[in-house]
Amino acid sequence: MRSVTYSMGVSLDGYIMDANGDIDWGDPDEEVFRFVIEETRRVGVHLLGRRLYETMLYWEGMEQDPTLDPPTRAWVELWNPLPKVVFSRTLTEVRGRARLATGNLAEEIERLRAEPREGEIALGGAELAAEAAAADLIDEYRIRVSPVLLGGGTPFFARDERRVRLELVESRTFRSSQVVHLRYRVLR
């Protein structure tokens, strides 16, 4: 069965965006960017909330840009053809390899897990991940912790006061940026 993963960069105090909605504090250096590319190669489909979908539209059409450096070109060539499912109450259409979700999150994940396809089911977006966590649908949490304190913003983890037991299955420190990658499997 395909696993559901939630992977994002976070501040040391647990936020994926600062109080102003900015994410520039977490721009990856080349080493971290290459790691994210390799992690994304294991993804078979990406589930996104509307805000993240709209943010990631930036990459659409970038494959035509002759000035892209090799890591950015690798990212564009990986991200753009990746199938995506967008959860939105306001969008009526999406572009590229994306489709609007036809069911609720649990129904979509159940259907995707039943498909005979390869690759993980990746989650993106704090609200979508919070909904998945509340329904116990996440199998792994992958966190890239940046050495910055934001003091507020959008939290990586939903504050639902629910205990979840985890097992650390991988950790790595990126020396140049001091980012720490932590990969935890949910124990059931």
Side-chain angles (χ1 to χ4, degrees):
M1 182 165 57
R2 298 166 82 182
S3 63
V4 176
T5 62
Y6 177 35
S7 176
M8 302 264 316
V10 303
S11 63
L12 183 60
D13 52 351
Y15 297 100
I16 61 172
M17 277 191 279
D18 70 16
N20 298 318
D22 292 329
I23 58 172
D24 58 350
W25 54 267
D27 288 344
D29 68 2
E30 187 173 329
E31 183 184 22
V32 173
F33 191 39
R34 287 185 190 279
F35 178 82
V36 170
I37 290 169
E38 290 309 310
E39 183 179 74
T40 305
R41 289 189 197 287
R42 297 191 300 256
V43 174
V45 61
H46 206 291
L47 311 184
L48 302 96
R50 179 196 51 83
R51 281 183 287 226
L52 183 58
Y53 165 73
E54 289 175 341
T55 298
M56 298 305 284
L57 281 175
Y58 169 83
W59 299 106
E60 290 287 325
M62 292 280 290
E63 59 274 352
Q64 307 303 322
D65 185 345
T67 65
L68 294 179
D69 59 50
T72 304
R73 179 159 306 285
W75 169 254
V76 168
E77 290 173 354
L78 177 64
W79 179 257
N80 285 347
L82 183 66
K84 300 162 194 80
V85 180
V86 180
F87 291 81
S88 173
R89 292 181 282 282
T90 58
L91 294 177
T92 57
E93 61 182 43
V94 291
R95 300 189 310 209
R97 290 289 317 264
R99 70 170 175 84
L100 284 169
T102 55
N104 66 41
L105 181 59
E107 292 167 344
E108 286 285 346
I109 288 175
E110 183 179 332
R111 187 183 62 71
L112 290 166
R113 279 185 167 162
E115 288 179 352
R117 295 184 186 203
E118 296 291 319
E120 299 165 349
I121 301 167
L123 286 170
E127 288 181 32
L128 193 63
E131 183 180 339
D136 195 27
L137 297 172
I138 298 175
D139 300 304
E140 282 192 11
Y141 291 89
R142 297 175 184 170
I143 308 159
R144 290 177 309 281
V145 183
S146 290
V148 61
L149 297 172
L150 298 178
T154 304
F156 177 85
F157 293 105
R159 305 290 191 240
D160 64 0
E161 298 183 18
R162 181 176 76 89
R163 183 178 296 194
V164 178
R165 293 185 57 236
L166 305 171
E167 172 187 27
L168 180 65
V169 293
E170 180 183 4
S171 66
R172 176 176 175 182
T173 301
F174 298 93
R175 298 288 175 208
S176 60
S177 62
Q178 300 177 356
V179 167
V180 177
H181 164 73
L182 301 167
R183 180 176 160 213
Y184 289 95
R185 180 179 303 124
V186 175
L187 297 175
R188 294 189 168 92

